[in-house]
Amino acid sequence: MLGNFIYSNPTKLYFGDNALSGLREELPKYGKNVLFVYGGGSIKKNGIYDEVTTILKECDKNIIEDAGVMPNPTVEKLYEGCERARKCKADLILAVGGGSVCDYAKAVSVSAYCDQDPWEKYFLHMEDVDNKIIPVGCVLTMVGTGSEMNGGSVITNRAQKLKIGHIFKDNVMPKFSILNPVYTFSVPKYQMISGFFDIMSHILEQYFSGDDDNTSDYIMEGLLKSLIYSTKKAIDDPIDYEARSNIMWIATWALNTLVEKGKTTDWEVHMIGQSVGAYTDAAHGMTLSSVSIPYYRFIMPYGIHKFKRYAINVWNVKTDGKTDREIASEGLERMKQYMKDLGLIMNVKDLGVTEDMLEGIAEGTFLLDGGYKRLTKQDVIHILKESMSVQ
Ligand code: NZQ
Ligand code: ZN
């Protein structure tokens, strides 16, 4: 049964190979000062920087650049961005990049006029925003996180060895996002497949929870099938527009607040992955791929009906003469093979995790109630050790 909910998503999307023209329609809605946020420079190599600045100039904006947003943006960078946004009196924050740049833009948007320490207020204490919010727009260059159409913002505090996400409300979601699949063609393979798995993980985090008959689970099975098909095509030909455009669209729908409506969700893989990320600074999707199979094997007995359904509906496992457990296990085996074929990291050691970190990673993992079994700290250590034994 679907639970009660309110659904509202204010982000306007411009999708397709001419999507950037949407920027011309959006910019006049905001004041003159645009904080132009981007990462380590990929947008200068692939030409997106020039395309965006041309339009900003045409629209007579003052461009204030905030470059160097690193993957897994840090709290120190956030403080720096707040200072800059306040100083230039930013009317709009334009994020041009992947999830890290979009997440950072949202964090600056709520923190620039916050009179408390934003790390403590939003990330440690999960408080709501009660100050001025600077509007954010995104030009997405890498798919995976769904940050382009949600309120999520993940910030890393390296000194405290914590990586924490805050899901902000509608008023913090991007006002608009520009989604041009061609922009994703230049993403290096390692980052590309990391993003692919992030999408899969977002869907599974919402799928493997509860056992009701609800439309969301059918939507998610469809998204997963399309994702598996399109990612296989994209591996063979990274500039296959059809595949990359489908993947971009799946990524947005995987985490734009729709499929979670009316049902419970898990998110424990992300909790473990984020803690692994806090210790290793590894690519987000790889932190998820390295713990997913051990985690799902561990919780499978507690949600056997859903794992059986997953095996049949997503991985086409034949059921004849098999027990539920055999069917469910075969589904996870097929998923594992697909992940290996994609080239994903399956062992946390390959991300730099060592035995002496396990205790701390488990300590930094938030333990949630939405999955089929609430983990203990010892369970997290067990899952990490299982990952470390994968060949
Ligand atoms: O820094 P630049 O030069 O832009 O290079 C980036 C970066 O090195 C590169 N890249 C991006 N687009 C490119 C490109 N290189 C060439 N051509 C392009 N078109 O890719 C690298 C990784 O970028 P990043 O933004 O870090 O990746 P991703 O999109 O995976 O974002 C990861 C961050 O998002 C958070 C993660 O925790 C992590 O901090 N997440 C945000 C979520 C949300 N808002 O809802 C949910 C997710 O679960 C996730 O936690
Ligand atoms: Zn994710």
Side-chain angles (χ1 to χ4, degrees):
M1 186 189 79
L2 278 179
N4 301 346
F5 59 85
I6 295 172
Y7 180 68
S8 148
N9 191 316
T11 306
K12 182 170 179 178
L13 299 178
Y14 293 85
F15 191 96
D17 60 4
N18 67 347
L20 194 64
S21 60
L23 196 54
R24 281 196 188 83
E25 287 182 40
E26 292 298 322
L27 287 176
K29 299 177 187 168
Y30 304 93
K32 219 169 157 54
N33 301 326
V34 177
L35 189 68
F36 177 7
V37 176
Y38 59 96
S42 65
I43 61 165
K44 290 200 169 163
K45 291 194 195 115
N46 57 26
I48 300 171
Y49 174 90
D50 289 338
E51 287 185 50
V52 170
T53 41
T54 302
I55 297 178
L56 285 167
K57 283 177 192 161
E58 273 172 28
C59 294
D60 199 26
K61 299 294 179 185
N62 292 333
I63 306 170
I64 304 95
E65 291 199 19
D66 183 2
V69 179
M70 61 293 284
N72 310 318
T74 63
V75 69
E76 289 79 14
K77 179 69 186 163
L78 169 61
Y79 296 146
E80 186 195 308
C82 291
E83 179 84 28
R84 190 171 282 133
R86 265 196 315 270
K87 210 165 152 197
C88 75
K89 298 189 172 55
D91 297 303
L92 173 72
I93 303 178
L94 185 64
V96 185
S100 294
V101 173
C102 298
D103 277 18
Y104 167 83
K106 285 181 244 178
V108 172
S109 85
V110 296
S111 305
Y113 295 102
C114 173
D115 50 19
Q116 291 159 260
D117 177 348
W119 169 254
E120 288 188 8
K121 181 179 167 80
Y122 300 127
F123 298 93
L124 287 181
H125 303 145
M126 295 292 164
E127 289 176 27
D128 285 337
V129 189
D130 52 14
N131 49 261
K132 177 179 166 179
I133 301 169
I134 307 170
V136 171
C138 300
V139 178
L140 197 66
T141 66
M142 159 159 176
V143 303
T145 65
S147 189
E148 66 277 12
M149 202 182 187
N150 69 33
S153 174
V154 184
I155 296 295
T156 298
N157 188 319
R158 288 183 188 157
Q160 294 179 12
K161 290 213 174 337
L162 288 172
K163 182 176 183 188
I164 303 178
H166 185 124
I167 313 297
F168 292 101
K169 295 189 175 143
D170 293 17
N171 52 357
V172 184
M173 288 187 189
K175 301 291 174 225
F176 63 89
S177 283
I178 310 277
L179 307 181
N180 181 344
V182 176
Y183 288 174
T184 68
F185 287 178
S186 57
V187 176
K189 184 179 175 197
Y190 188 85
Q191 296 295 344
M192 177 183 82
I193 59 174
S194 172
F196 289 174
F197 191 74
D198 194 19
I199 307 169
M200 176 168 270
S201 181
H202 293 160
I203 302 170
L204 297 181
E205 298 272 30
Q206 297 168 97
Y207 182 79
F208 284 124
S209 179
D211 205 8
D212 300 328
D213 178 34
N214 68 62
T215 304
S216 288
D217 285 334
Y218 293 93
I219 297 173
M220 287 191 271
E221 286 165 359
L223 291 172
L224 284 166
K225 284 196 216 174
S226 177
L227 179 70
I228 293 162
Y229 177 74
S230 297
T231 48
K232 284 180 182 169
K233 277 175 69 188
I235 286 291
D236 290 342
D237 179 10
I239 60 166
D240 178 332
Y241 183 86
E242 187 172 57
R244 297 303 286 270
S245 58
N246 279 322
I247 295 166
M248 191 171 220
W249 196 218
I250 298 162
T252 301
W253 283 97
L255 198 55
N256 72 353
T257 75
L258 176 87
V259 297
E260 70 184 14
K261 291 300 172 208
K263 79 183 292 293
T264 56
T265 55
D266 182 359
W267 294 108
E268 198 58 55
V269 168
H270 270 66
M271 295 304 105
I272 304 173
Q274 277 176 203
S275 195
V276 169
Y279 275 75
T280 60
D281 201 26
H284 170 65
M286 296 305 192
T287 66
L288 308 174
S289 63
S290 61
V291 300
S292 282
I293 295 292
Y295 173 71
Y296 287 126
R297 277 194 187 138
F298 187 75
I299 63 159
M300 190 185 82
Y302 307 92
I304 196 76
H305 181 254
K306 197 60 166 285
F307 280 91
K308 178 184 170 191
R309 173 177 166 167
Y310 174 62
I312 297 167
N313 291 357
V314 177
W315 295 102
N316 304 316
V317 172
K318 298 277 172 283
T319 57
D320 335 348
K322 294 173 194 159
T323 64
D324 288 356
R325 202 185 170 100
E326 283 167 345
I327 296 164
S329 297
E330 206 176 316
L332 288 185
E333 274 310 301
R334 290 200 188 178
M335 172 177 162
K336 183 178 162 197
Q337 192 55 51
Y338 158 82
M339 292 169 70
K340 285 173 116 178
D341 292 347
L342 228 52
L344 291 161
I345 301 288
M346 307 295 284
N347 182 323
V348 286
K349 279 197 283 190
D350 295 335
L351 302 175
V353 173
T354 47
E355 288 276 349
D356 59 321
M357 293 178 186
L358 298 186
E359 198 63 34
I361 293 174
E363 197 59 54
T365 299
F366 293 91
L367 303 173
L368 305 175
D369 290 315
Y372 292 117
K373 182 187 187 300
R374 184 185 163 92
L375 299 185
T376 63
K377 196 177 137 189
Q378 282 315 311
D379 294 337
V380 176
I381 293 175
H382 167 80
I383 287 160
L384 293 166
K385 283 189 173 163
E386 286 291 302
S387 167
M388 288 175 109
S389 67
V390 171
Q391 298 301 321

